[in-house]
């Protein structure tokens, strides 16, 4: 079964200070590597005087990260782990570091970049994209109210086509397809014609 994914709708920011080093985190919704590159270039221009601008991004079919001069695996990879752990796609996180004069060591860097990325993600607006199927049922007019009640109880607003019979269509979360179709069958004493579409993320 397909699993839910989480999409970044609106970016967030963070600031973490460790031994006078400042780590400024920011997230962006991005759909392509080109969009990600443009945002990274914008951050590098804005924080031109910073020591490092590290990043990680995850798209539906590609991902990339950079330590931007920090020791290998201490910045980009931990930030990628934050995105992966949150199930985020279509997301870029950039963490800018202003060096405070004290070396933090590899463990300290991993913790700082992880925390800055986590806080930026936490302050972002995120939507869950769930696996669903379109359920379509044809019912007679006397059964309409019962079916609408079932769908309302599931938080669904169906599209309704009034013909000789009534056709209702709704995008139902995968885990609720069986209970919903069973309830419709029971409510109509098996008279409803029900069709279930292909699985999609929506």
């Amino acid at each position: 079964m397909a699993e839910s994914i989480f999409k970044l709708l609106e970016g967030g920011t963070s600031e973490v200070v460790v031994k006078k080093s400042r780590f400024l985190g920011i997230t962006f919704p991005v759909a392509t590597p080109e969009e990600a590159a443009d945002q990274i270039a914008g951050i590098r221009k804005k924080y031109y005087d910073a020591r490092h601008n590290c990043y990680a991004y995850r798209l539906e079919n590609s991902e990339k990260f950079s330590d931007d001069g920090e020791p290998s695996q201490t910045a980009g990879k931990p930030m990628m782990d934050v995105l992966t752990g949150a199930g985020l796609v279509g997301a870029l996180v950039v963490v800018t570091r202003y060096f405070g004069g004290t070396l933090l060591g590899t463990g300290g860097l991993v913790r700082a970049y992880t925390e800055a990325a986590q806080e930026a993600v936490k302050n972002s607006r995120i939507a869950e994209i769930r696996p669903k199927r379109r359920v379509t049922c044809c019912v007679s007019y006397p059964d309409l109210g019962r079916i609408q009640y079932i769908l309302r109880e599931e938080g669904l607003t169906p599209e309704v086509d009034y013909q000789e019979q009534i056709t209702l269509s709704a995008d139902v979360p995968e885990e609720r397809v069986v209970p919903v179709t069973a309830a419709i069958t029971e409510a109509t004493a098996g008279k409803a014609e029900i069709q279930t579409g292909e699985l999609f993320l929506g």
Side-chain angles (χ1 to χ4, degrees), residues 118-155:
Q118 284 174 334
E119 283 297 309
V121 166
K122 194 169 99 177
N123 294 329
S124 305
R125 198 156 65 85
I126 294 166
E128 182 181 5
I129 312 297
R130 301 170 71 187
K132 296 177 181 176
R133 293 182 191 271
R134 171 147 283 222
V135 173
T136 303
C137 60
C138 292
V139 299
S140 61
Y141 277 79
D143 291 327
L144 176 61
R146 286 192 287 273
I147 305 309
Q148 286 178 318
Y149 175 79
I150 289 167
L151 296 175
R152 260 201 314 273
E153 287 292 291
E154 293 285 335

Side-chain angles (χ1 to χ4, degrees), residues 29-52:
V30 290
T32 64
E34 292 75 23
E35 273 185 47
D38 285 347
Q39 296 290 8
I40 293 161
I43 290 293
R44 284 183 171 146
K45 188 174 179 183
K46 181 177 180 180
Y47 298 116
Y48 65 92
D49 56 342
R51 179 72 68 91
H52 306 280

